[in-house]
Amino acid sequence: MILRAVSVIFLVYVGVCAASAQEVERLVVLTHDSFAMTEEVLAAFEEHTGISVEILRSGDAGQMVNQAILSKNNPLGDVLYGVDNTFLSRALDAEIFAPYESPALAYLGESFIPDDTFRVTPVDFGDVCLNYDIAYFEERQLELPGSLSDLTKEAYRGLLVAENPATSSPGLAFLLATIAEFGDVGDYTYLDYWQDLERNDLLVVDGWTDAYYGEFKVTGRDSGSRPMVVSYASSPPAEVYFSGDPDTGALTGAIVGDNMCFRQIEYVGILAGAVNEEAARQFVDFMLSPPFQEALPLNMFVFPVREDITLPEVFAKYASIPENPAIVEPADIEAKREDWIQAWMEVMLR
């Protein structure tokens, strides 16, 4: 019944012409290792188009983009999904995408659309934020930090664990949030801020797993002692969803103050020279269709970009979406990413 319902919704939404789609045999979607979608949703697309979808996972987002660039004269697939705003300019500068303006863009907020060339289409977003142990702060009647600057105060000494931006995606996102807030030139820059965090007993680990499941007080193993961690705004609903006992409520929360989170937006694009460009266009439309957008939160724990999608109850109840996330332009990220990281390493890992 689920497959039938999804199929009907998708068919009505995209108005697929089955006769023309019958000519297409296979569509290859190049994506990252974190891609996840229900078989029912993908099967609905295949059933009503006659297009067989092959998912080709290619490492993390950076590795995926690099592979697409190296193979641009002989594309590995028809569609690339999962390039985010930290690598977007690299992909655009390499001219690996063919433009396509999906009619479903009418359902999106303008802030998600990067430019008027329509070389990529936004699909989902997630915010890298500080997560905190609710009980720890309540028991001590300790106010949550209201800004990134607050984290350097004595009240928060030794409370935060963050990830190395050279080895971690959320670590890089948090670094970018600090660059957006403090800049990289002037009397007090992001490097000065990180040194102040270090003096306030910041703990830096290599990756998100080490931070969240190793050092974070709520979810960490026996040694976890830090009540704040750099993670995602979707981590609290994810914890409740996987707890097996949602009635207990959330043990963690996300701090979403102005300029304290960095928004990662993921895009899909049709690869230039794609064998099945028409099928690729249908798949882009499909990724913005209600069935796919509705399935995103509980499969990849990200937020849909469509404004008319109702979030699952656990997201609606426990997720927080920042009103004013930190912003760094993709072109600036591409131009300065490596220099910013190298400077951070020289200061923090000396």
Side-chain angles (χ1 to χ4, degrees):
M1 291 297 293
I2 294 175
L3 173 57
R4 182 178 179 84
V6 171
S7 301
V8 170
I9 294 172
F10 177 56
L11 180 59
V12 171
Y13 177 75
V14 300
V16 173
C17 176
S20 63
Q22 293 300 321
E23 300 174 3
V24 178
E25 295 183 355
R26 186 179 66 139
L27 179 78
V28 179
V29 179
L30 185 66
T31 187
H32 50 58
D33 287 347
S34 299
F35 176 83
M37 185 48 59
T38 64
E39 293 182 3
E40 289 86 355
V41 171
L42 290 176
F45 174 80
E46 293 181 325
E47 178 180 340
H48 288 295
T49 63
I51 299 168
S52 176
V53 178
E54 176 184 342
I55 304 298
L56 180 60
R57 291 176 174 82
S58 305
D60 61 27
Q63 292 171 319
M64 174 189 65
V65 170
N66 287 339
Q67 286 190 43
I69 292 172
L70 291 172
S71 60
K72 62 179 293 186
N73 294 325
N74 186 23
L76 297 174
D78 303 292
V79 171
L80 183 146
Y81 161 70
V83 57
D84 67 17
N85 43 320
T86 64
F87 287 100
L88 180 60
S89 284
R90 178 179 298 182
L92 295 181
D93 290 345
E95 299 182 343
I96 64 172
F97 295 120
Y100 172 59
E101 184 176 358
S102 171
L105 289 173
Y107 295 93
L108 275 59
E110 291 184 3
S111 63
F112 287 114
I113 301 173
D115 56 36
D116 59 1
T117 65
F118 303 106
R119 289 172 289 174
V120 291
T121 300
V123 174
D124 60 75
F125 71 94
D127 295 296
V128 173
C129 305
L130 298 176
N131 283 202
Y132 69 98
D133 177 351
I134 293 175
Y136 181 94
F137 280 82
E138 289 182 347
E139 290 168 1
R140 291 160 179 77
Q141 297 183 332
L142 179 60
E143 290 187 6
L144 295 175
S147 67
L148 291 179
S149 294
D150 283 351
L151 294 173
T152 64
K153 295 180 178 178
E154 181 64 28
Y156 306 107
R157 174 175 294 277
L159 302 191
L160 177 63
V161 55
E163 300 89 354
N164 184 337
T167 55
S168 165
S169 175
L172 174 58
F174 185 62
L175 177 71
L176 293 172
T178 67
I179 290 169
E181 180 71 1
F182 301 105
D184 60 356
V185 295
D187 294 334
Y188 189 88
T189 71
Y190 79 101
L191 294 174
D192 297 307
Y193 173 71
W194 278 92
Q195 288 178 297
D196 284 344
L197 286 180
E198 185 178 39
R199 282 189 280 267
N200 212 32
D201 193 21
L202 168 73
L203 175 63
V204 176
V205 297
D206 283 341
W208 179 84
T209 299
D210 293 335
Y212 196 80
Y213 289 113
E215 303 295 341
F216 188 34
K217 189 174 178 61
V218 177
T219 53
R221 302 178 182 91
D222 294 340
S223 62
S225 61
R226 301 269 168 156
M228 285 194 294
V229 61
V230 173
S231 190
Y232 298 90
S234 58
S235 293
E239 284 299 321
V240 175
Y241 182 73
F242 287 114
S243 69
D245 186 13
D247 293 335
T248 61
L251 302 179
T252 66
I255 302 174
V256 294
D258 288 354
N259 301 317
M260 294 184 71
C261 304
F262 183 82
R263 176 157 295 172
Q264 294 176 311
I265 304 172
E266 288 192 304
Y267 302 88
V268 62
I270 299 171
L271 289 168
V275 174
N276 295 324
E277 186 168 346
E278 177 54 35
R281 291 182 177 184
Q282 292 186 56
F283 194 79
V284 170
D285 293 343
F286 165 64
M287 295 190 87
L288 291 183
S289 70
F292 192 94
Q293 290 279 295
E294 290 169 356
L296 282 167
L298 296 184
N299 282 277
M300 287 186 275
F301 292 89
V302 291
F303 295 88
V305 290
R306 280 186 62 134
E307 296 180 322
D308 59 342
I309 298 299
T310 300
L311 291 173
E313 182 179 357
V314 69
F315 264 68
K317 189 172 183 179
Y318 297 111
S320 301
I321 300 178
E323 293 184 3
N324 298 299
I327 296 174
V328 182
E329 293 300 324
D332 290 336
I333 297 173
E334 181 59 29
K336 299 181 180 181
R337 182 198 304 108
E338 302 308 322
D339 289 341
W340 285 335
I341 292 174
Q342 183 61 37
W344 181 92
M345 293 176 66
E346 291 174 0
V347 166
M348 299 297 292
L349 305 181
R350 61 188 182 282

